[in-house]
Amino acid sequence: MTITRRAVTRGLAGLALAAPFVRSATAQERTVTLASFSGVFQENYRAAVVEPFKAAHPGIAVEYVGLRNSAETLGTLRAQRNAPQTDVVLLDMISAKAATAEGLFEPIPRDSLPSLADLDPGAFLPGVAGPAASADHLVLLYAPDRVSPAPTSWRDLWREENRRRVAFAGVPDLTGVALVLIANRLAGQDDYRLGVDKGIALVGDLAPNVLSFDPKPDAYAFIVNGTAALGLGWNGRAQLYARQSPGRIASLVPAEGSVTIKHSINLVQGAPQREAARLFIDYALGAQAQGAVADRLFLSPMNRRAEVAEATRDRVVRPGQTADWLPVDWLEVAPLRERIHEAWRRGVIARG
């Protein structure tokens, strides 16, 4: 049997992953398929980038396929390896590095798109095919009406009165990994490359306070609907929930600082609409789109020419703010992730 673009991988797993991407032959001629985060991110990214791109390029449609997280996106790419249904992917840098190593992305050289000349040098990540499109940072979440006074330290999560009041996505999610690295520093070990045993032990002490390591749909919703009182999350999404549900959720960077992470935008190897996809990536990395993403999604732009509204500036990472934060090279963390996951199962989940 001949495999076409609409036939994804053999087997039910591949078909299930591919189902959201199947398009009609007519739409396929002019449609760029973008895969990235679902939920409030999808809603706001469409408004900030997708719709303005379509207005600027009326001959190109964009189909946004929302997936729960970068791990699901990576799994989908693997399922579609022999017959890609996706053109552009936006995901975290660790998953982007794995996809690059597996040949799932086409490299985007620094001189291949006009917008790349305006990006911060830190946008170009070793071993990752596409540049970073934005940066985010970990924050402590809390319910203002149930946590008073407001927390000021990561250590507030461990307080006795917070038993079964904390929710966040545990390892292998990057939220859990980030907490392990921060806990490692709290326990006196800044260099995670020397080991994270101290961090695992400290998070194990936190386990009795955790209501869920897998809150569905996410920790933000758990706090908004009153299921949990505290949690961990990423600044961009925390700000979005706070805007949608004022007074129900708030966030802050504790006194000990935080960690940052970048999201990479990539061109899928064998993309059905390669040239249109390149136009979309160039637009998404341009100053206008980058400023709009900052204002709507509260993600720090990578384009140095991006203009951010005054009201947004205090809600994203500012120059100099991260000087005393824990420096994390997530591409170095990637090979350690499985070991952290195993230690998490033994030292954290078992104590919950």
Side-chain angles (χ1 to χ4, degrees), residues 6 18-19 29 46 93 150 155 170 179 225 253 266 282 306 343 351:
R6 297 185 61 192
E29 300 261 330
R46 285 187 61 88
M93 58 199 294
R155 295 184 187 278
L179 178 62
N225 65 27
V253 174
N266 292 272
D282 188 49
R351 297 177 62 186

Side-chain angles (χ1 to χ4, degrees), residues 265-282:
I265 190 166
N266 292 272
L267 176 63
V268 175
Q269 187 71 257
Q273 294 293 331
R274 179 180 180 274
E275 292 309 314
R278 283 169 51 83
L279 285 174
F280 179 83
I281 291 171
D282 188 49

Side-chain angles (χ1 to χ4, degrees), residues 228-246:
L230 297 112
L232 305 174
W234 298 96
N235 177 66
R237 193 159 291 209
Q239 298 285 357
L240 286 172
Y241 272 89
R243 186 170 66 192
Q244 289 183 352
S245 305

